[in-house]
Amino acid sequence: MIQRIQTIYLLLAFLITGILPFVFPLWTLTDGKSEMFMSNQIYSILFGLSTSLSLLSILFYKKRQHQFVIGRLNIILNLILLGLFVYRSLNLSGETLAVSEKGIGMFLPIIAIVFLVLANKAIKKDEDLVKSVDRLR
């Protein structure tokens, strides 16, 4: 399980969506308040689902096709999360009372998507290798 590269990629995606949102703020308002992902229930649910899907995909190491599908669902989920962040940041940038500063937490879904795409690519490569060996038998 751990010797496969896609498990490493999925573990990194798990860490990015499960631990790093607690560390990095999404944005900082002018009054100095940092807004974390926990301030909005939708962000918490989507980060939790993404973390759960990454962990579930790691546990399905024997079922490569399921792992691939879960990875795609996780990519879609992170794209939705990224879309919500972009929408929220565009609304924040038009503020007149308090101008906010975007934080590094907004880029976490992008990094997670990169690792999930790399994991899916490695899963597909393994699946193709198994199919080519099956043809030889």
Side-chain angles (χ1 to χ4, degrees):
M1 171 173 86
I2 195 70
Q3 70 269 18
R4 294 170 39 196
I5 190 69
Q6 61 262 29
T7 306
I8 303 297
Y9 291 144
L10 290 169
L11 187 63
L12 287 171
F14 171 78
L15 292 175
I16 288 169
T17 58
I19 295 173
L20 291 183
F22 289 104
V23 177
F24 298 114
L26 296 176
W27 42 79
T28 305
L29 300 175
T30 55
D31 58 355
K33 287 185 180 177
S34 294
E35 186 168 333
M36 302 299 276
F37 80 101
M38 297 168 289
S39 63
N40 193 336
Q41 188 176 11
I42 294 173
Y43 300 154
S44 299
I45 291 170
L46 290 177
F47 267 121
L49 281 174
S50 179
T51 304
S52 300
L53 285 178
S54 294
L55 183 62
L56 188 65
S57 185
I58 290 171
L59 295 176
F60 278 173
Y61 65 93
K62 289 185 180 179
K63 301 175 184 173
R64 286 175 302 276
Q65 195 60 34
H66 288 115
Q67 209 177 22
F68 189 75
V69 170
I70 291 171
R72 282 192 175 177
L73 288 174
N74 204 351
I75 289 170
I76 292 170
L77 188 67
N78 277 302
L79 284 173
I80 291 170
L81 189 61
L82 182 63
L84 287 173
F85 287 163
V86 168
Y87 176 75
R88 176 79 170 140
S89 72
L90 290 176
N91 284 343
L92 282 178
S93 65
E95 293 177 279
T96 57
L97 298 176
V99 179
S100 62
E101 181 180 320
K102 280 62 172 175
I104 196 167
M106 289 184 61
F107 298 107
L108 293 178
I110 296 172
I111 300 168
I113 288 170
V114 168
F115 283 120
L116 290 168
V117 166
L118 289 172
N120 272 0
K121 190 175 178 181
I123 293 166
K124 183 70 172 158
K125 186 178 174 184
D126 277 358
E127 187 67 27
D128 291 342
L129 181 65
V130 169
K131 284 182 182 178
S132 71
V133 170
D134 283 344
R135 268 183 271 165
L136 293 175
R137 284 193 245 171

